[in-house]
Amino acid sequence: MHNAALEVLELDWTYLAFEVHPDTLASTLRGARDLGVLGLNLTLPHKLLAMPLMDVLDDSAETYGAVNTVIYESQTSSGEWMPVGQLPEIRGPVRMRGANTDADALLRSLGEDLGIEPRSARILLLGAGGAARAAALRLADEGVGELWLVNRTTSKAEELAAEIRLRNPAVGVEVGYPSDTVDVVLNATSLGMKAGDPLPWDPARFSLDRADGVYDMVYRPAETVLLETARRSGCRTANGLGMLLYQGAAALELWTGRPAPVDAMRSALVSEVYGAP
Ligand SMILES: NC(=O)c1ccc[n+]([C@@H]2O[C@H](COP(=O)([O-])OP(=O)(O)OC[C@H]3O[C@@H](n4cnc5c(N)ncnc54)[C@H](OP(=O)(O)O)[C@@H]3O)[C@@H](O)[C@H]2O)c1
């Protein structure tokens, strides 16, 4: 999706994927800086490991405790730090700024794909890992109506609930299943990616008849077992492709300082992930 965008923006840049061992993350980030790389995206497990390696963190990374976008920055003649991709030349030191574009991307996708307006929505969130944490904290900041947290390791859901109560005391957050209806069930566990994965929640404890929509952060396969079950129960459904798209679009805007060509990015992403139509 990034290379499609770079073509539209007529930028002579290229976006490449590298597999990096966690033990070499620090030297990889420094090496990329020294090679003149303009920016990077990080995925698991690097999102958390990169936090202490950044020279400066955006509020987004600080809040969600994870970095998915690195921007290499240098100083202008007046001393202002700017992304190197937006500078005519690099002079002086280059620093690494860490940002997180995942949480905003989720909100945008929830709105576009399911018409969910987080403020006052009732949400059952499955998972308490990095993605769930970012989602829960962002939803709480938006003034979500009520949040239920369910995770295999209940202590992690309890820790997350405690963090939300501290940051947003007005937000109703509980660990466990709701007894009433919800606007959306949001899967932020990694279950659903592999064939044969079990459902990410206990259907005996909560029936999808009580959910209006179901959003699965997993996007491959396009229809997970959760989404198939939800569709059969009459729920509106969406997978995580929109979230993937918008976190990438936001990262591109940070590097280039220009609006991302979202339509070109979406079609490149769809054909890359699901194959040409
Ligand atoms: N669409 C997007 O753009 C986007 C962006 C970010 C993440 N994601 C997706 O979101 C998912 C979670 O990512 P993450 O970064 O939060 O990963 P993570 O930090 O490793 O968290 C994994 C979560 O899944 C749960 N889990 C894993 N295996 C399980 C099992 N066998 N049974 C029950 N629960 C299980 C974990 O529960 P425990 O706490 O009990 O281990 C934890 O809540 C992944 O599928 C990832 O691809 C999508």
Side-chain angles (χ1 to χ4, degrees), residues 15-25 27-29 40-46:
Y15 187 98
L16 301 165
F18 295 95
E19 194 156 332
V20 174
H21 191 278
D23 290 350
T24 63
L25 178 63
S27 56
T28 301
L29 290 169
L40 297 170
N41 285 127
L42 300 172
T43 190
L44 280 176
H46 302 303

Side-chain angles (χ1 to χ4, degrees), residues 181-203:
T181 57
V182 294
D183 295 300
V184 67
V185 175
L186 175 52
N187 179 38
T189 75
S190 36
L191 289 178
M193 296 168 84
K194 294 195 296 287
D197 271 353
L199 286 165
W201 92 108
D202 180 357

